[in-house]
Amino acid sequence: MFRIIFIGVIAAFFFSSTFVFNRAMSLEGGHWVWSASLRYFWMLAILGVWLVIMGKARLGLDAIKIFFRHWIFWTVAGSVGFGVFYALITFSSVFAPGWVVAATWQTTILATPLVLLAFGRKVPLKALALTVIIFIGVILVNLEQASATGLREVLWGALPVLVAAFAYPFGNQLVWEARKGEKSFVPSIDHPVMDDPFCRVLLLTLGSLPLWVILIAVTTPPPPSAGQVMQTAIVAACSGVIATSLFLYARHHARSTAELAAADCTQSMEVVFSLAGEAILLGHVMPGILGWGGIALTMVGLMLYVTFQSRQ
């Protein structure tokens, strides 16, 4: 159990780089579209190299063939699950500190069962009720932020994250349904690439590319600085490769539902690491009583939710 928790916490540390660096790039004047899109262009290159190193180059080529065979499906799933999700996360960093975005992002625990219900899947209502605790915590965090910045900044910082919290599980659920092959509105894809997590990430990354191209063309942002290019590469490596690999490793080695729940619980540490990262790297002040209370409720709610789920 300790090993799984330790690895999960390390994964949360690397995941938090997303929120800290997005905020840093925003404060340095980097356009949010580049902060979002460059990460996925980097991810495409990193995933290609990773699959070759892992001896899965042939599987990667099969994934590309699967993408073109079902390009409409992957474009929709990738544009929503990766594109809309991350574009809104980076957009919110223009208006809110990274730790606030990270705390608000925990509402994806509430969004996920609602998305499952929308796909006709069964969800324990008691577990859904526990997510209200998380939502209250998020409200407290944003109320404190509103007292410091103003209602407009809070709305622009929080609402995009709330939408992103639904977009991410929606895109992932589309892929899950395609693997199951039980829904008529998604193609049934029965292929080994669907069992490899990195191939699935590659397929969703490829599917998100049209959205990034459209966003760049519509917003016509000024060219990114060398610093922004490097920071997006760091986020792609830390969050997209290292954190994902560690988290998947922890979940894969869980021998019971309790250990699986423990691995999921560790991701609440993203809020703490984002807060610490901004305080150290960006010199941000610590939250007040209301903010700390919101963080505590968010983390407790997440732990209660996954603990309840592990007992089902």
Side-chain angles (χ1 to χ4, degrees):
M1 178 74 81
F2 174 79
R3 183 185 182 188
I4 288 174
I5 292 175
F6 178 75
I7 294 174
V9 169
I10 298 299
F13 171 78
F14 283 103
F15 272 131
S16 67
S17 65
T18 294
F19 306 105
V20 176
F21 279 102
N22 279 349
R23 182 61 172 173
M25 287 184 281
S26 174
L27 294 176
E28 292 169 2
H31 200 283
W32 64 271
V33 168
W34 289 122
S35 297
S37 60
L38 285 175
R39 164 178 164 158
Y40 285 95
F41 290 126
W42 278 113
M43 279 295 300
L44 196 60
I46 293 172
L47 282 168
V49 173
W50 181 265
L51 288 170
V52 170
I53 292 175
M54 296 300 293
K56 297 181 179 180
R58 181 61 180 271
L59 198 61
L61 291 174
D62 287 342
I64 294 174
K65 293 178 182 178
I66 291 294
F67 172 80
F68 284 108
R69 191 176 302 165
H70 304 284
W71 67 271
I72 295 178
F73 168 77
W74 288 111
T75 299
V76 172
S79 294
V80 176
F82 276 13
V84 173
F85 145 67
Y86 200 64
L88 293 175
I89 288 287
T90 52
F91 177 78
S92 65
S93 67
V94 177
F95 302 94
W99 70 270
V100 174
V101 176
T104 308
W105 169 245
Q106 301 305 314
T107 54
T108 191
I109 301 299
L110 170 62
T112 298
L114 294 178
V115 168
L116 290 174
L117 286 172
F119 277 89
R121 300 296 173 181
K122 293 182 179 180
V123 177
L125 294 180
K126 289 183 179 179
L128 186 59
L130 286 173
T131 61
V132 174
I133 299 174
I134 300 173
F135 193 65
I136 293 173
V138 168
I139 290 175
L140 291 179
V141 167
N142 283 279
L143 281 177
E144 180 174 279
Q145 184 67 13
S147 65
T149 60
L151 181 60
R152 176 182 177 274
E153 285 73 16
V154 168
L155 291 177
W156 282 112
L159 292 181
V161 183
L162 293 176
V163 176
F166 282 87
Y168 185 70
F170 185 85
N172 283 320
Q173 188 61 26
L174 281 174
V175 178
W176 191 88
E177 296 292 351
R179 291 177 70 193
K180 295 289 287 185
E182 297 175 354
K183 302 293 183 181
S184 60
F185 55 86
V186 295
S188 177
I189 307 176
D190 183 17
H191 193 279
V193 299
M194 299 296 285
D195 297 322
D196 186 275
F198 295 102
C199 284
R200 294 199 301 271
V201 172
L202 175 62
L203 285 163
L204 288 168
T205 300
L206 287 169
S208 72
L209 295 184
L211 178 65
W212 300 127
V213 172
I214 292 171
L215 271 178
I216 293 170
V218 170
T219 59
T220 59
S225 66
Q228 189 174 18
V229 173
M230 288 305 300
Q231 287 182 81
T232 53
I234 292 172
V235 171
C238 289
S239 183
V241 176
I242 298 175
T244 301
S245 300
L246 287 172
F247 184 59
L248 291 176
Y249 178 89
R251 290 186 111 255
H252 180 73
H253 286 80
R255 298 178 182 177
S256 65
T257 52
E259 290 185 347
L260 194 62
D264 289 342
C265 277
T266 59
Q267 298 315 288
S268 63
M269 290 298 293
E270 292 174 11
V271 184
V272 177
F273 287 131
S274 297
L275 180 59
E278 286 194 306
I280 296 171
L281 299 177
L282 306 179
H284 285 179
V285 297
M286 290 291 181
I289 295 177
L290 201 62
W292 281 117
I295 291 173
L297 274 179
T298 299
M299 296 177 69
V300 169
L302 177 59
M303 292 176 184
L304 288 174
Y305 175 79
V306 295
T307 300
F308 179 86
Q309 289 285 63
S310 70
R311 294 174 179 173
Q312 299 305 302

